[in-house]
Amino acid sequence: MIDEDGYFGESVAARYDESSAEMFAPSMVEPAVELLAELAGDGRAFELGIGTGRIALPLSRRGVEVHGVDLSRAMVARLRDKPGGAAIRVTMGDFATTKVAGSFSVAYLVFNTIMNLTSQDAQVACFENAAEHLAPGGCFVVELMVPDLRRLPPGQTAVPFHVGGDRLGFDLYDVATQSMSSHHVRVEDGHGSYRSIPFRYVWPAELDLMARLAGMRLRNRWEDWTRRPFTGESRSHVSVWEKPAG
């Protein structure tokens, strides 16, 4: 059952930072903030799916004005409870279509969030929305996994991403439709819980085409925020598309 905040309601928001602790490590956050601050320059930043503020808060502390969009009131409430969170403007809504006032030097989506849009049309709309909010010469940045299909032998649809004594996680792929779902099983104090979240996986080349449809062009693609080269062995990418200055 989906709660009123989608798949990121109170039960998820309450433990989101803890369950994603590795993503809050300085080694993960600081390179991302460095790149985004560089792209923002003297302008503003627009975060699509701002969540609990993992990136927005340190970026704001760098002196960049951040405006976020998110569908989950529970996640945004956690952002508001953190030091500096009350100063960040957040508009509630679907980040594929929600409009805010003004223009931005950089718009960004991190931690695979574009896959929360479960149709190609919605992902295309997201690129169009980002482009509409960018000033000429501005950039749209997406951090995303590379679909892990090389780990699927014939007849198999599941790929585990975490196997531990108290937690199991695996992704189910449908290669015919590019749909996938992440499944999480957790055992605490002898009690089990289960939740699943649907996604749509998307390839780098498909994202490039979405960017072209939105009037942007690829500027850079790296393996990660430290700007290591993207190769055929990379399991993730950070891509930057630019809106023409003219």
Side-chain angles (χ1 to χ4, degrees):
M1 179 177 179
I2 303 174
D3 53 57
E4 63 179 4
D5 283 350
Y7 291 92
F8 294 89
E10 181 59 35
S11 62
V12 174
R15 62 187 311 155
Y16 181 81
D17 290 11
E18 174 190 351
S19 64
S20 304
E22 71 279 1
M23 298 301 295
F24 285 79
S27 61
M28 300 296 291
V29 172
E30 290 173 0
V33 170
E34 182 68 29
L35 175 59
L36 294 171
E38 178 183 313
L39 294 174
D42 296 329
R44 302 193 300 158
F46 184 39
E47 180 164 3
L48 308 176
I50 195 169
T52 65
R54 181 178 68 93
I55 299 298
L57 286 168
L59 186 58
S60 178
R61 289 194 289 269
R62 285 284 298 266
V64 178
E65 181 183 340
V66 182
H67 192 137
V69 170
D70 207 286
L71 194 62
S72 170
R73 290 177 292 276
M75 296 284 277
V76 172
R78 296 310 189 281
L79 163 64
R80 295 291 187 220
D81 287 341
K82 297 178 181 179
I88 295 178
R89 296 181 62 191
V90 179
T91 300
M92 303 307 302
D94 180 346
F95 61 73
T97 57
T98 298
K99 312 297 181 187
V100 303
S103 62
F104 300 84
S105 296
V106 63
Y108 62 95
L109 266 168
V110 298
F111 198 12
N112 302 322
T113 302
I114 195 168
M115 296 200 310
N116 289 115
L117 303 173
T118 56
S119 72
Q120 187 182 68
D121 285 345
Q123 292 173 347
V124 169
C126 177
F127 270 77
E128 293 171 340
N129 195 32
E132 288 178 18
H133 284 89
L134 288 174
C139 292
F140 182 37
V141 184
V142 172
E143 176 192 24
L144 186 59
M145 62 174 279
V146 175
D148 219 1
L149 302 189
R150 292 171 67 179
R151 297 178 62 192
L152 283 177
Q156 181 175 314
T157 60
V159 174
F161 58 83
H162 184 92
V163 178
D166 61 353
R167 185 163 68 92
L168 300 174
F170 56 93
D171 290 326
L172 287 181
Y173 286 86
D174 183 339
V175 297
T177 63
Q178 286 184 221
S179 62
M180 61 177 289
S181 55
S182 287
H183 299 258
H184 305 260
V185 178
R186 184 182 296 271
V187 178
E188 291 182 307
D189 300 323
H191 298 283
S193 64
Y194 165 77
R195 70 183 180 96
S196 65
I197 306 174
F199 298 104
R200 180 184 187 268
Y201 69 81
V202 56
W203 299 96
E206 187 180 3
L207 295 173
D208 291 343
L209 182 56
M210 293 180 186
R212 289 180 61 187
L213 292 172
M216 298 183 288
R217 58 173 178 263
L218 183 67
R219 174 169 157 179
N220 295 106
R221 173 167 291 130
W222 300 288
E223 180 174 287
D224 55 27
W225 293 104
T226 66
R227 312 187 203 192
R228 289 188 294 187
F230 180 76
T231 73
E233 298 301 315
S234 298
R235 298 183 65 185
S236 64
H237 64 97
V238 173
S239 297
V240 181
W241 297 275
E242 185 175 38
K243 183 175 181 177

